[in-house]
Each structure stands twice: as C-alpha cells, then as structure tokens.
Amino acid sequence: MALDTTASIKKKLNSRGWRMTPQREKILEVFYNLPQGNHLSAEELHNLLEEQGENISLSTIYRSVKLMTKMRVLRELELAEGHKHYELNHPYPHHHHHIVCIQCNKTIEFQDDSILKHSLKQCQKEDFQLIDCQLTVMTICQEALEMGWPSTLPSDWCCSRAIAEGHHK
Amino acid sequence: MALDTTASIKKKLNSRGWRMTPQREKILEVFYNLPQGNHLSAEELHNLLEEQGENISLSTIYRSVKLMTKMRVLRELELAEGHKHYELNHPYPHHHHHIVCIQCNKTIEFQDDSILKHSLKQCQKEDFQLIDCQLTVMTICQEALEMGWPSTLPSDWCCSRAIAEGHHK
DNA sequence: TTAAGTGCAAAATCTTTGCATCAGG
DNA sequence: CCTGATGCAAAGATTTTGCACTTAA
C-alpha cells in the first residue's frame, strides 16, 4: 500500500462531502517534507507554517489534523509530552511503534510487524475492525537511573543523549 | 510479583523522602476497590472520593496520581478520551493492554505476554530500562461502519454495546 | 449556489503552581 | 522540628467553539 498523494486525498475527501483547501494542502506538504521519525504537535505545525510564510490559524490546524486523522491520512500519537503529535500514517509494511524516555521525552521509532499481527488477533476476537495499533514502550535510560531517578532528579533533567538530539524540554 | 500493599508503598515512599498521608491512603483504597478493567481520570477519582464523603482537593489528586505513577504503583494510560486515566500497575503476569473504539471510547482489556517480550527486546537494543509498555489498539465496530463512519456519524454517536455498558460520552 | 471551511476571539478542558498552613517521620 | 503535603485560588497549556465571512465543488 502506497502513501496517499494530495490528489488521492482530495478524491477521498470529496467522496465524503469534505473539501481540499489551500490550507490543507500546505499542512499536508509539511508532513510530506518531514524527516522520517519526526512528528509534530499542532503548535509546532503552526510555527513551521509561519516560518514558511503561511499564515494558517491555529483553529484551522486543529480542525485539519483531526479530519486527516479521521481520514487515516495522519496518525495521532499520545506519547509522554502531555499533548498530541501527528505524523503521516504509513500503513503496513512501514508501520512503526515508539520507545519513549519518560524523563526526557526522547522518542525512538521501531518496527515490529508481529505487534500488528497480535492486534489483529484481538480485533477478530471482539469483531472490531482495526484502525491502528500503537505500542508505546516507556523507558528510562541508564544515565537517569545513575542520577537517582526518580527522587533526586529535577523534572527538567535530560540525559546527554537527549540534549545532543534536541529532545530536551 | 505481588501487588503493593499500603504498608509496602509507605516504605517505598519513605525511602525516597516522600510521605504516606491520609489522602494518599484514601486514593489508593479507591484503586484497590475498583473492579478489574476500570480506570479513572483525576476528575472521576475526585468524584468517587466525594461520594464517599472524602473531601480531597483536585490538586492533591493530581499530585498524588503523578507521584504514584512515578513510584510505579499506578499506571498512566493515554487512551482516546483526551485526558489521562489511571489504574493499579499490575506487573507481569497480570500486565495487560487495551482495545479502544475510536468512536465510543469503549475500552476492552486483553492480555498478551508476547508484547512485553517484544518491548524488552527493543529496550535492550537501545540500552534503556523498560518501565512499562502499552499497546493501544484503535478500532471501530461493525455497527459504526454500517452507519457510514466516519462521515455521516455525529461525534457523539455510540454503538448499542457501548451504551449498554455505559461507555458513551 | 450552498454547504463546508476559515479566522478570530472567547470559552472549555485539563493540569500545574504559588503560597499560607498543616502534619508525617 | 523540618521538610514534604494540602487546599485554595489563580494561572497555564491545550483544544474546541460560535459567528460572520469566504470559497470549493
């Protein structure tokens, strides 16, 4: 299964009575140009668009990512940051999951197709149709443990690896 | 591994410089008495306590569930409802995952120990210590699909099964 | 032409925090 | 006693919504 194109998304939207707009095209473009492994919050998406000179209101951003998630063009992630993130919905075999450090919010993608198989099995048992499955592996790094996590670590402490990769708060 | 008792939790807290208080005891009691498969938001926990005549402030609730999650007494769930839920952290072999209907928020628990095994494998690869892993399977039921989901369904529509079980919004 | 989409500001939700006071170890 | 915990109210953060106007199909 290939990724959607703007044209095919437009077709999908129209068939449901929804529309493709310049704002939605710009939003999708951002996701198509996003390096693999990245995901954006509504705020981050808004800022990125602003940097590109695109003034799209935050409400429109929120409404669009919600609709695109419903259309299964985007995938909504609830990781550990307290707000939602979005990424392109890459279907099997590019489906992936996330490891998250609960101290630094550093996120690493990984692929493991057996997770999807196990999820499908559960869906069949309940007679539900699978839309997506997300395995979130909460972890803590050695460095944090050595610093006495969780009691002696301030909530904004980050390991050197997370700082190097810009995951710090 | 057995579930924590209030006494063992107190010991754990004290060893870290934290304290057991009457409020925290009441909060834990609610979770111990909660039927298997249920999980509570901060708001719901607050209401339950109020019904029992316990007036514990919402701030204290939030502070307590956060701390208990850090202590791995509670497990924080990010399902599809837009806010966090908490349940007792049952370690292996009572560890479980969730199927969620993205239309009705109906939640079903399931056990599958292979998920934990796959998660551990990923942690070892990255040299992280596993804290928890949560597989969330987003699904939609046949009834919703037959009603034309997602375009023709109002956002508060619920299938008959969800209504019968009180999962509706 | 007309129902859907947009932008703005205001509201709604959920969660955190400052501070004075209280109390567990 | 001393530091962590509580309650309250106020603030923060994120997301949704009402409404007048615009626009895609």
Side-chain angles (χ1 to χ4, degrees), chain B residues 17 19 21 23-24 57 59-60 63:
Chain B
R19 297 172 186 171
T21 64
Q23 289 89 338
R24 289 177 182 176
S57 79
S59 326
T60 297
R63 282 187 276 230

PDB file of all heavy atoms in Angstrom, chain B residues 17 19 21 23-24 57 59-60 63, chain D residues 2-10:
ATOM      1  N   GLY B  17      12.140   9.774  50.745  1.00  0.00           N
ATOM      2  CA  GLY B  17      11.907  11.083  51.344  1.00  0.00           C
ATOM      3  C   GLY B  17      10.488  11.587  51.167  1.00  0.00           C
ATOM      4  O   GLY B  17      10.173  12.733  51.461  1.00  0.00           O
ATOM      5  N   ARG B  19       6.108  10.936  51.738  1.00  0.00           N
ATOM      6  CA  ARG B  19       5.299  10.525  52.887  1.00  0.00           C
ATOM      7  C   ARG B  19       3.977   9.878  52.525  1.00  0.00           C
ATOM      8  O   ARG B  19       3.382  10.191  51.499  1.00  0.00           O
ATOM      9  CB  ARG B  19       5.000  11.756  53.756  1.00  0.00           C
ATOM     10  CG  ARG B  19       6.244  12.370  54.332  1.00  0.00           C
ATOM     11  CD  ARG B  19       5.921  13.681  55.004  1.00  0.00           C
ATOM     12  NE  ARG B  19       7.148  14.335  55.443  1.00  0.00           N
ATOM     13  CZ  ARG B  19       7.187  15.584  55.908  1.00  0.00           C
ATOM     14  NH1 ARG B  19       6.079  16.288  56.002  1.00  0.00           N
ATOM     15  NH2 ARG B  19       8.329  16.103  56.288  1.00  0.00           N
ATOM     16  N   THR B  21       0.162   9.780  53.480  1.00  0.00           N
ATOM     17  CA  THR B  21      -0.789  10.675  54.151  1.00  0.00           C
ATOM     18  C   THR B  21      -2.173  10.047  54.088  1.00  0.00           C
ATOM     19  O   THR B  21      -2.408   9.142  53.288  1.00  0.00           O
ATOM     20  CB  THR B  21      -0.837  12.046  53.438  1.00  0.00           C
ATOM     21  OG1 THR B  21      -1.352  11.845  52.116  1.00  0.00           O
ATOM     22  CG2 THR B  21       0.528  12.698  53.372  1.00  0.00           C
ATOM     23  N   GLN B  23      -4.782  11.269  52.826  1.00  0.00           N
ATOM     24  CA  GLN B  23      -5.315  11.471  51.478  1.00  0.00           C
ATOM     25  C   GLN B  23      -4.810  10.394  50.520  1.00  0.00           C
ATOM     26  O   GLN B  23      -5.572   9.816  49.748  1.00  0.00           O
ATOM     27  CB  GLN B  23      -4.906  12.852  50.947  1.00  0.00           C
ATOM     28  CG  GLN B  23      -5.613  14.026  51.618  1.00  0.00           C
ATOM     29  CD  GLN B  23      -4.876  14.534  52.840  1.00  0.00           C
ATOM     30  OE1 GLN B  23      -4.082  13.822  53.447  1.00  0.00           O
ATOM     31  NE2 GLN B  23      -5.166  15.765  53.233  1.00  0.00           N
ATOM     32  N   ARG B  24      -3.533  10.141  50.560  1.00  0.00           N
ATOM     33  CA  ARG B  24      -2.956   9.145  49.654  1.00  0.00           C
ATOM     34  C   ARG B  24      -3.490   7.755  49.949  1.00  0.00           C
ATOM     35  O   ARG B  24      -3.704   6.960  49.030  1.00  0.00           O
ATOM     36  CB  ARG B  24      -1.416   9.193  49.755  1.00  0.00           C
ATOM     37  CG  ARG B  24      -0.872  10.465  49.124  1.00  0.00           C
ATOM     38  CD  ARG B  24       0.624  10.611  49.250  1.00  0.00           C
ATOM     39  NE  ARG B  24       1.012  11.897  48.643  1.00  0.00           N
ATOM     40  CZ  ARG B  24       2.231  12.389  48.648  1.00  0.00           C
ATOM     41  NH1 ARG B  24       3.216  11.721  49.241  1.00  0.00           N
ATOM     42  NH2 ARG B  24       2.487  13.539  48.067  1.00  0.00           N
ATOM     43  N   SER B  57      -8.760  17.669  47.766  1.00  0.00           N
ATOM     44  CA  SER B  57      -8.761  18.656  46.688  1.00  0.00           C
ATOM     45  C   SER B  57      -8.224  18.047  45.392  1.00  0.00           C
ATOM     46  O   SER B  57      -7.415  17.135  45.398  1.00  0.00           O
ATOM     47  CB  SER B  57      -7.915  19.861  47.069  1.00  0.00           C
ATOM     48  OG  SER B  57      -6.556  19.569  46.903  1.00  0.00           O
ATOM     49  N   SER B  59      -6.164  19.304  43.353  1.00  0.00           N
ATOM     50  CA  SER B  59      -4.703  19.451  43.241  1.00  0.00           C
ATOM     51  C   SER B  59      -4.012  18.273  43.887  1.00  0.00           C
ATOM     52  O   SER B  59      -3.045  17.738  43.346  1.00  0.00           O
ATOM     53  CB  SER B  59      -4.206  20.714  43.939  1.00  0.00           C
ATOM     54  OG  SER B  59      -5.105  21.746  43.846  1.00  0.00           O
ATOM     55  N   THR B  60      -4.493  17.896  45.049  1.00  0.00           N
ATOM     56  CA  THR B  60      -3.887  16.765  45.749  1.00  0.00           C
ATOM     57  C   THR B  60      -4.046  15.491  44.939  1.00  0.00           C
ATOM     58  O   THR B  60      -3.128  14.675  44.850  1.00  0.00           O
ATOM     59  CB  THR B  60      -4.516  16.608  47.139  1.00  0.00           C
ATOM     60  OG1 THR B  60      -4.223  17.779  47.896  1.00  0.00           O
ATOM     61  CG2 THR B  60      -3.968  15.399  47.861  1.00  0.00           C
ATOM     62  N   ARG B  63      -1.510  15.687  42.190  1.00  0.00           N
ATOM     63  CA  ARG B  63      -0.153  15.486  42.700  1.00  0.00           C
ATOM     64  C   ARG B  63       0.070  14.038  43.104  1.00  0.00           C
ATOM     65  O   ARG B  63       1.143  13.468  42.886  1.00  0.00           O
ATOM     66  CB  ARG B  63       0.107  16.437  43.865  1.00  0.00           C
ATOM     67  CG  ARG B  63       0.396  17.865  43.379  1.00  0.00           C
ATOM     68  CD  ARG B  63       0.836  18.809  44.498  1.00  0.00           C
ATOM     69  NE  ARG B  63      -0.298  19.370  45.217  1.00  0.00           N
ATOM     70  CZ  ARG B  63      -0.454  20.672  45.461  1.00  0.00           C
ATOM     71  NH1 ARG B  63       0.437  21.542  45.037  1.00  0.00           N
ATOM     72  NH2 ARG B  63      -1.495  21.103  46.131  1.00  0.00           N
TER      73      ARG B  63
ATOM     74  P    DC D   2      14.643  22.998  62.600  1.00  0.00           P
ATOM     75  OP1  DC D   2      15.866  22.802  63.422  1.00  0.00           O
ATOM     76  OP2  DC D   2      14.088  24.351  62.404  1.00  0.00           O
ATOM     77  O5'  DC D   2      14.888  22.326  61.170  1.00  0.00           O
ATOM     78  C5'  DC D   2      14.987  20.893  61.089  1.00  0.00           C
ATOM     79  C4'  DC D   2      14.160  20.365  59.913  1.00  0.00           C
ATOM     80  O4'  DC D   2      12.830  20.015  60.348  1.00  0.00           O
ATOM     81  C3'  DC D   2      13.992  21.370  58.768  1.00  0.00           C
ATOM     82  O3'  DC D   2      14.294  20.665  57.586  1.00  0.00           O
ATOM     83  C2'  DC D   2      12.506  21.744  58.826  1.00  0.00           C
ATOM     84  C1'  DC D   2      11.912  20.450  59.362  1.00  0.00           C
ATOM     85  N1   DC D   2      10.588  20.540  60.040  1.00  0.00           N
ATOM     86  C2   DC D   2       9.746  19.410  60.004  1.00  0.00           C
ATOM     87  O2   DC D   2      10.121  18.387  59.422  1.00  0.00           O
ATOM     88  N3   DC D   2       8.546  19.473  60.640  1.00  0.00           N
ATOM     89  C4   DC D   2       8.180  20.589  61.280  1.00  0.00           C
ATOM     90  N4   DC D   2       6.993  20.593  61.897  1.00  0.00           N
ATOM     91  C5   DC D   2       9.020  21.759  61.312  1.00  0.00           C
ATOM     92  C6   DC D   2      10.206  21.686  60.680  1.00  0.00           C
ATOM     93  P    DT D   3      14.704  21.515  56.254  1.00  0.00           P
ATOM     94  OP1  DT D   3      16.169  21.559  56.206  1.00  0.00           O
ATOM     95  OP2  DT D   3      13.916  22.772  56.196  1.00  0.00           O
ATOM     96  O5'  DT D   3      14.204  20.537  55.094  1.00  0.00           O
ATOM     97  C5'  DT D   3      14.156  19.120  55.306  1.00  0.00           C
ATOM     98  C4'  DT D   3      12.809  18.601  54.843  1.00  0.00           C
ATOM     99  O4'  DT D   3      11.749  18.983  55.749  1.00  0.00           O
ATOM    100  C3'  DT D   3      12.398  19.122  53.454  1.00  0.00           C
ATOM    101  O3'  DT D   3      12.020  18.006  52.675  1.00  0.00           O
ATOM    102  C2'  DT D   3      11.196  20.039  53.745  1.00  0.00           C
ATOM    103  C1'  DT D   3      10.627  19.392  55.000  1.00  0.00           C
ATOM    104  N1   DT D   3       9.796  20.268  55.862  1.00  0.00           N
ATOM    105  C2   DT D   3       8.699  19.723  56.498  1.00  0.00           C
ATOM    106  O2   DT D   3       8.386  18.548  56.392  1.00  0.00           O
ATOM    107  N3   DT D   3       7.988  20.612  57.279  1.00  0.00           N
ATOM    108  C4   DT D   3       8.257  21.947  57.470  1.00  0.00           C
ATOM    109  O4   DT D   3       7.535  22.640  58.188  1.00  0.00           O
ATOM    110  C5   DT D   3       9.418  22.456  56.773  1.00  0.00           C
ATOM    111  C7   DT D   3       9.768  23.897  56.905  1.00  0.00           C
ATOM    112  C6   DT D   3      10.119  21.610  56.006  1.00  0.00           C
ATOM    113  P    DG D   4      11.661  18.171  51.135  1.00  0.00           P
ATOM    114  OP1  DG D   4      12.655  17.393  50.363  1.00  0.00           O
ATOM    115  OP2  DG D   4      11.392  19.590  50.840  1.00  0.00           O
ATOM    116  O5'  DG D   4      10.278  17.396  51.062  1.00  0.00           O
ATOM    117  C5'  DG D   4      10.160  16.124  51.683  1.00  0.00           C
ATOM    118  C4'  DG D   4       8.689  15.867  51.936  1.00  0.00           C
ATOM    119  O4'  DG D   4       8.191  16.832  52.886  1.00  0.00           O
ATOM    120  C3'  DG D   4       7.824  15.998  50.695  1.00  0.00           C
ATOM    121  O3'  DG D   4       6.870  14.950  50.741  1.00  0.00           O
ATOM    122  C2'  DG D   4       7.180  17.373  50.852  1.00  0.00           C
ATOM    123  C1'  DG D   4       7.042  17.471  52.360  1.00  0.00           C
ATOM    124  N9   DG D   4       7.023  18.841  52.889  1.00  0.00           N
ATOM    125  C8   DG D   4       7.903  19.857  52.627  1.00  0.00           C
ATOM    126  N7   DG D   4       7.619  20.971  53.271  1.00  0.00           N
ATOM    127  C5   DG D   4       6.474  20.660  53.989  1.00  0.00           C
ATOM    128  C6   DG D   4       5.694  21.458  54.873  1.00  0.00           C
ATOM    129  O6   DG D   4       5.864  22.639  55.209  1.00  0.00           O
ATOM    130  N1   DG D   4       4.608  20.754  55.390  1.00  0.00           N
ATOM    131  C2   DG D   4       4.319  19.439  55.103  1.00  0.00           C
ATOM    132  N2   DG D   4       3.241  18.919  55.681  1.00  0.00           N
ATOM    133  N3   DG D   4       5.038  18.679  54.284  1.00  0.00           N
ATOM    134  C4   DG D   4       6.096  19.353  53.762  1.00  0.00           C
ATOM    135  P    DA D   5       5.656  14.896  49.748  1.00  0.00           P
ATOM    136  OP1  DA D   5       5.327  13.469  49.559  1.00  0.00           O
ATOM    137  OP2  DA D   5       5.969  15.766  48.593  1.00  0.00           O
ATOM    138  O5'  DA D   5       4.460  15.574  50.549  1.00  0.00           O
ATOM    139  C5'  DA D   5       3.897  14.882  51.667  1.00  0.00           C
ATOM    140  C4'  DA D   5       2.535  15.466  51.961  1.00  0.00           C
ATOM    141  O4'  DA D   5       2.691  16.803  52.465  1.00  0.00           O
ATOM    142  C3'  DA D   5       1.624  15.574  50.739  1.00  0.00           C
ATOM    143  O3'  DA D   5       0.334  15.148  51.144  1.00  0.00           O
ATOM    144  C2'  DA D   5       1.675  17.054  50.371  1.00  0.00           C
ATOM    145  C1'  DA D   5       1.907  17.715  51.714  1.00  0.00           C
ATOM    146  N9   DA D   5       2.665  18.968  51.671  1.00  0.00           N
ATOM    147  C8   DA D   5       3.844  19.208  51.007  1.00  0.00           C
ATOM    148  N7   DA D   5       4.304  20.428  51.170  1.00  0.00           N
ATOM    149  C5   DA D   5       3.367  21.024  52.010  1.00  0.00           C
ATOM    150  C6   DA D   5       3.283  22.320  52.560  1.00  0.00           C
ATOM    151  N6   DA D   5       4.195  23.280  52.353  1.00  0.00           N
ATOM    152  N1   DA D   5       2.222  22.592  53.343  1.00  0.00           N
ATOM    153  C2   DA D   5       1.315  21.628  53.562  1.00  0.00           C
ATOM    154  N3   DA D   5       1.289  20.369  53.094  1.00  0.00           N
ATOM    155  C4   DA D   5       2.357  20.144  52.324  1.00  0.00           C
ATOM    156  P    DT D   6      -0.878  15.194  50.208  1.00  0.00           P
ATOM    157  OP1  DT D   6      -1.720  14.038  50.562  1.00  0.00           O
ATOM    158  OP2  DT D   6      -0.405  15.419  48.834  1.00  0.00           O
ATOM    159  O5'  DT D   6      -1.620  16.508  50.705  1.00  0.00           O
ATOM    160  C5'  DT D   6      -2.165  16.561  52.019  1.00  0.00           C
ATOM    161  C4'  DT D   6      -2.909  17.871  52.204  1.00  0.00           C
ATOM    162  O4'  DT D   6      -1.948  18.943  52.123  1.00  0.00           O
ATOM    163  C3'  DT D   6      -3.963  18.150  51.125  1.00  0.00           C
ATOM    164  O3'  DT D   6      -5.226  18.287  51.756  1.00  0.00           O
ATOM    165  C2'  DT D   6      -3.507  19.451  50.466  1.00  0.00           C
ATOM    166  C1'  DT D   6      -2.532  20.034  51.465  1.00  0.00           C
ATOM    167  N1   DT D   6      -1.391  20.810  50.913  1.00  0.00           N
ATOM    168  C2   DT D   6      -1.209  22.109  51.325  1.00  0.00           C
ATOM    169  O2   DT D   6      -1.947  22.671  52.105  1.00  0.00           O
ATOM    170  N3   DT D   6      -0.108  22.730  50.775  1.00  0.00           N
ATOM    171  C4   DT D   6       0.809  22.199  49.885  1.00  0.00           C
ATOM    172  O4   DT D   6       1.748  22.859  49.482  1.00  0.00           O
ATOM    173  C5   DT D   6       0.557  20.831  49.492  1.00  0.00           C
ATOM    174  C7   DT D   6       1.486  20.150  48.533  1.00  0.00           C
ATOM    175  C6   DT D   6      -0.513  20.204  50.012  1.00  0.00           C
ATOM    176  P    DG D   7      -6.565  18.284  50.934  1.00  0.00           P
ATOM    177  OP1  DG D   7      -7.601  17.638  51.765  1.00  0.00           O
ATOM    178  OP2  DG D   7      -6.270  17.791  49.581  1.00  0.00           O
ATOM    179  O5'  DG D   7      -6.899  19.841  50.838  1.00  0.00           O
ATOM    180  C5'  DG D   7      -6.986  20.614  52.024  1.00  0.00           C
ATOM    181  C4'  DG D   7      -7.247  22.071  51.666  1.00  0.00           C
ATOM    182  O4'  DG D   7      -6.011  22.680  51.240  1.00  0.00           O
ATOM    183  C3'  DG D   7      -8.241  22.281  50.509  1.00  0.00           C
ATOM    184  O3'  DG D   7      -9.120  23.332  50.886  1.00  0.00           O
ATOM    185  C2'  DG D   7      -7.353  22.641  49.322  1.00  0.00           C
ATOM    186  C1'  DG D   7      -6.170  23.324  50.000  1.00  0.00           C
ATOM    187  N9   DG D   7      -4.895  23.178  49.306  1.00  0.00           N
ATOM    188  C8   DG D   7      -4.445  22.068  48.631  1.00  0.00           C
ATOM    189  N7   DG D   7      -3.237  22.216  48.136  1.00  0.00           N
ATOM    190  C5   DG D   7      -2.875  23.498  48.502  1.00  0.00           C
ATOM    191  C6   DG D   7      -1.668  24.223  48.242  1.00  0.00           C
ATOM    192  O6   DG D   7      -0.669  23.849  47.634  1.00  0.00           O
ATOM    193  N1   DG D   7      -1.705  25.493  48.795  1.00  0.00           N
ATOM    194  C2   DG D   7      -2.767  26.011  49.507  1.00  0.00           C
ATOM    195  N2   DG D   7      -2.623  27.253  49.957  1.00  0.00           N
ATOM    196  N3   DG D   7      -3.896  25.343  49.762  1.00  0.00           N
ATOM    197  C4   DG D   7      -3.880  24.108  49.225  1.00  0.00           C
ATOM    198  P    DC D   8     -10.464  23.580  50.141  1.00  0.00           P
ATOM    199  OP1  DC D   8     -11.494  23.786  51.180  1.00  0.00           O
ATOM    200  OP2  DC D   8     -10.647  22.547  49.087  1.00  0.00           O
ATOM    201  O5'  DC D   8     -10.222  24.990  49.417  1.00  0.00           O
ATOM    202  C5'  DC D   8      -9.734  26.099  50.179  1.00  0.00           C
ATOM    203  C4'  DC D   8      -9.008  27.075  49.260  1.00  0.00           C
ATOM    204  O4'  DC D   8      -7.738  26.526  48.878  1.00  0.00           O
ATOM    205  C3'  DC D   8      -9.748  27.363  47.948  1.00  0.00           C
ATOM    206  O3'  DC D   8     -10.275  28.681  47.999  1.00  0.00           O
ATOM    207  C2'  DC D   8      -8.687  27.201  46.860  1.00  0.00           C
ATOM    208  C1'  DC D   8      -7.374  27.130  47.657  1.00  0.00           C
ATOM    209  N1   DC D   8      -6.345  26.287  47.005  1.00  0.00           N
ATOM    210  C2   DC D   8      -5.052  26.789  46.858  1.00  0.00           C
ATOM    211  O2   DC D   8      -4.793  27.920  47.273  1.00  0.00           O
ATOM    212  N3   DC D   8      -4.111  26.019  46.273  1.00  0.00           N
ATOM    213  C4   DC D   8      -4.429  24.792  45.826  1.00  0.00           C
ATOM    214  N4   DC D   8      -3.466  24.063  45.254  1.00  0.00           N
ATOM    215  C5   DC D   8      -5.753  24.262  45.962  1.00  0.00           C
ATOM    216  C6   DC D   8      -6.684  25.035  46.554  1.00  0.00           C
ATOM    217  P    DA D   9     -11.275  29.191  46.818  1.00  0.00           P
ATOM    218  OP1  DA D   9     -12.435  29.838  47.461  1.00  0.00           O
ATOM    219  OP2  DA D   9     -11.482  28.105  45.825  1.00  0.00           O
ATOM    220  O5'  DA D   9     -10.395  30.315  46.125  1.00  0.00           O
ATOM    221  C5'  DA D   9      -9.289  30.913  46.814  1.00  0.00           C
ATOM    222  C4'  DA D   9      -8.284  31.415  45.791  1.00  0.00           C
ATOM    223  O4'  DA D   9      -7.380  30.346  45.429  1.00  0.00           O
ATOM    224  C3'  DA D   9      -8.939  31.877  44.484  1.00  0.00           C
ATOM    225  O3'  DA D   9      -8.207  32.996  43.974  1.00  0.00           O
ATOM    226  C2'  DA D   9      -8.781  30.667  43.585  1.00  0.00           C
ATOM    227  C1'  DA D   9      -7.406  30.174  44.020  1.00  0.00           C
ATOM    228  N9   DA D   9      -7.160  28.769  43.706  1.00  0.00           N
ATOM    229  C8   DA D   9      -8.066  27.739  43.655  1.00  0.00           C
ATOM    230  N7   DA D   9      -7.543  26.577  43.338  1.00  0.00           N
ATOM    231  C5   DA D   9      -6.190  26.852  43.166  1.00  0.00           C
ATOM    232  C6   DA D   9      -5.091  26.052  42.831  1.00  0.00           C
ATOM    233  N6   DA D   9      -5.178  24.735  42.585  1.00  0.00           N
ATOM    234  N1   DA D   9      -3.874  26.654  42.743  1.00  0.00           N
ATOM    235  C2   DA D   9      -3.784  27.963  42.981  1.00  0.00           C
ATOM    236  N3   DA D   9      -4.749  28.828  43.315  1.00  0.00           N
ATOM    237  C4   DA D   9      -5.941  28.199  43.391  1.00  0.00           C
ATOM    238  P    DA D  10      -8.697  33.775  42.653  1.00  0.00           P
ATOM    239  OP1  DA D  10      -9.645  34.809  43.094  1.00  0.00           O
ATOM    240  OP2  DA D  10      -9.119  32.773  41.645  1.00  0.00           O
ATOM    241  O5'  DA D  10      -7.353  34.460  42.129  1.00  0.00           O
ATOM    242  C5'  DA D  10      -6.089  34.096  42.664  1.00  0.00           C
ATOM    243  C4'  DA D  10      -5.168  33.567  41.565  1.00  0.00           C
ATOM    244  O4'  DA D  10      -5.213  32.116  41.539  1.00  0.00           O
ATOM    245  C3'  DA D  10      -5.518  34.041  40.152  1.00  0.00           C
ATOM    246  O3'  DA D  10      -4.358  34.646  39.582  1.00  0.00           O
ATOM    247  C2'  DA D  10      -5.922  32.753  39.417  1.00  0.00           C
ATOM    248  C1'  DA D  10      -5.150  31.691  40.192  1.00  0.00           C
ATOM    249  N9   DA D  10      -5.722  30.340  40.108  1.00  0.00           N
ATOM    250  C8   DA D  10      -7.043  29.973  40.253  1.00  0.00           C
ATOM    251  N7   DA D  10      -7.258  28.689  40.122  1.00  0.00           N
ATOM    252  C5   DA D  10      -6.002  28.161  39.865  1.00  0.00           C
ATOM    253  C6   DA D  10      -5.549  26.840  39.637  1.00  0.00           C
ATOM    254  N6   DA D  10      -6.361  25.783  39.620  1.00  0.00           N
ATOM    255  N1   DA D  10      -4.226  26.673  39.426  1.00  0.00           N
ATOM    256  C2   DA D  10      -3.412  27.748  39.445  1.00  0.00           C
ATOM    257  N3   DA D  10      -3.716  29.024  39.656  1.00  0.00           N
ATOM    258  C4   DA D  10      -5.043  29.161  39.858  1.00  0.00           C
TER     259       DA D  10
END
